[in-house]
Amino acid sequence: MKRIILFISFFTCVLSGSAQIISLDNTIVVSGKVIDAQTNQPLEYATIALTRSGQDKTIGTTTDKNGFFKLDIDAGLYIIKIDFLSFKTYKIQSKLLTSNTDLGTISLMSDNVLDEVDVNATKDLVEFEINKKIYNASADIANIGGTAMDVLSNTPLVRVDANGLITIRGGTPTILIDGKPQFGVDNNFDFLKAFPSVSIDKVEIITRSAKHSSGGGGAILNIVTKKDKNQAYSGSLEAHTGLPDNHGGSIFLSKKTEKVNLFSTISFNNTRREKTIDIEQPLLNLFEESIQDRLRNNFLFNIGSDFHLNTKSKLSASFLFNNSNKNYTYEIDAREFNRTTIESDDYSKIQVQLGYSLELDSKGQKIQLNLGYENTNSDNESGITENPIPFSSSILQDYRKDQKLQNVLAQADYILPLDKNKSLEFGYKGTFRSFTNDYEVLEFNSGTNTNVVLGDLEDIYFYDENIHGFYAQYNVVFDKFSYALGVRTEISDISTKEQNNGTNLDKNFTDVFPSVSFGYEINDNSYISANYNRSVERPLIPQLNPFNSFVYQRFQSIGNPDLNPFYGDYFELLYDTKIKKVTVASALFVNNQQDQSLSILENTGLLTNNGDEIFTRKFINSGNKNIVGLDLDITVKPFKGLRLNGYISPYQLEIKNALDNAYNFKNTVWYAEGSALVSLNNGLKFSVSHKYQSPISNGLSELRTINFTNFTVSKSLFKKNATLTFRAVDIFKTKRFNYISREANTLTRHNVFYENQFNLTFSYLFNQKRKSAKNRSKELNKDDLEDKQDKKL
């Protein structure tokens, strides 16, 4: 009996010790080879996924060109799945792995799937993950032949106004391209107009957290460019023409090897648009009509690569050059004068970025480093001729502004797993901006036969901004429930200087930005989450720049160098689900901003040469803005070949305590979009979309209803390797931007409208046509597997 007791005790101790050894998460190596059971050929890019029993987290990899795989895991009990598209899944329900294991050669059987399918017929336009929405821009034929600005205009939730200002739910988002921030003297308008849509894969709308920059409103817009993950090389060619003039082309190339992924975009575009502005002040018996002829030439070259140094580390590098040459003509007809302005602007941008990532172990410990440098120059010159009525002698004026912007980015992120359910993230991001504007306005003096400075419109403006940001975020995943708690601290040093008038300003801010996120995965197709973050909106360069435009002598746009950042609290409750043929993405949101940037019109008390009053438009810090609203996006695919999408966003907009309550208001705004896509078996596709926005008031001014329709038709050619697309923007010519203002104690009406556009685009894809079963399987590569793991996390 004693021997039995001793044996049981010994056996229990051995089991206990073994369990302890396994629980220590000893790292072991699992390897093997995957082949086609029928041909005995190795299968490249077959997916191997190991899920530890009792846990949701999956660890995976893909096979190499010889069918081999090797994976570092922690010892334990695992479910093993091996997948290859159009082959039956190989599965081991339970296998205890305690030491290095070779699974041997695994043969997969064909699943008798058709060799080719058209994978892009009616792809979901909007997809969702926890705290992220994805707009599949490459699947929307309305973007063909367009630019990044067109893509953002077509992205649900995103608003782009007549001046190119981008907002989401009342806040200014942070714009990223492939995860890297973008800067510009014109709020990136020129750059986004030059970046071709052919190189854009999707747009991610990401809920802001402490991990990301605190700057901007409630969301982050990440434009994801195309990179070949599937074949040795691929690319696309595109050429387009249109009315009014819109001619150009672009080429996107990508080449992938086992170690290197190389990609490049070259684009050229020539556009001419006519913009008409009517300005009327009936109380002063004044009327002006301005016709603007805008000619723009854009050239962009971008090249980048990812170098996989080994299985744990990757180095990324990219170089971008963008040049825009603009020639604008402004014709202003008024009762007392005719004014002609001929403006030229040479804009150039150079951007260099480096990135490095290192996986420190198989548990998820990781370091990411990013460095970036950006240099933007804008040389602007204008000649103005004003003829009084009745004609006496012409007034000749010249103005110039030379703007230079330099940006440096330094960023480091570290992920530290604490156990299977918890992790910590730490990071630093430093952004350093330096802006200079050297400007002057001259008027010809016929008496002295010289040009003299007009008023005080001559100076050199300097703006320097250094921001150091530190963050920590605690993440927990437990079964289907997850939450993240984060805090970000930013130290900002800002200095401005106006050389001639001797105005110097130095400002220092130390701010704390908390964030909280809770998520629950109801099932594989339904998510619910609640999020809060505090953010800051820093002034844009045009809002600070003391001299912006002199085209309209009576209505000048100026900046306010003393404009301060303003802060906001953002709450949202998200619910996203997919039920058979219906996809629903919805949100309730509250955006509360304090001491906002308020645009006001002021009477300067000065007079033009004709004796008319001069007004200036600028921003000041005044008032609290509160937005409460709903977003609802529904996509229905009732049957093959038809996709219907509807988006509606009613919200209540209220401003309090704005400039002695003069700009206070409260009103409800309705925004809605609807689209339909019909795909026929003969390669024809038809798309129609309509956008509507109800009037928006801000106390003393009102933007009238915006209402317009776009239409697109495309036909696939040459065995679906090519596509011919016709796109009509504002086909019924109803798109107008009509403002009524009672500011500065006078009534002013602005009516702005553009010509409608018609574009014809031919695009050709090489090595990207319909994929065979083998090629489609390559889409299940390691990056995609990691994306799916991130989705669960």
Side-chain angles (χ1 to χ4, degrees), residues 339 382-384 395-398 442-443 454 550 553 609:
R339 185 178 175 94
S382 295
I384 302 171
I395 300 171
L396 305 177
Q397 298 171 339
D398 292 285
L442 304 173
E443 185 169 294
L454 182 63
F550 198 68
Q553 189 175 5
N609 295 318

Side-chain angles (χ1 to χ4, degrees), residues 59 136 156 184 236 248 311 324 371-372 443 537 614 635 693 699 703 750:
I59 301 172
N136 291 305
S236 60
T311 58
S324 295
L371 291 173
E443 185 169 294
E537 289 204 33
I614 296 177
T635 300
Q693 179 177 283
L703 170 63
H750 287 74

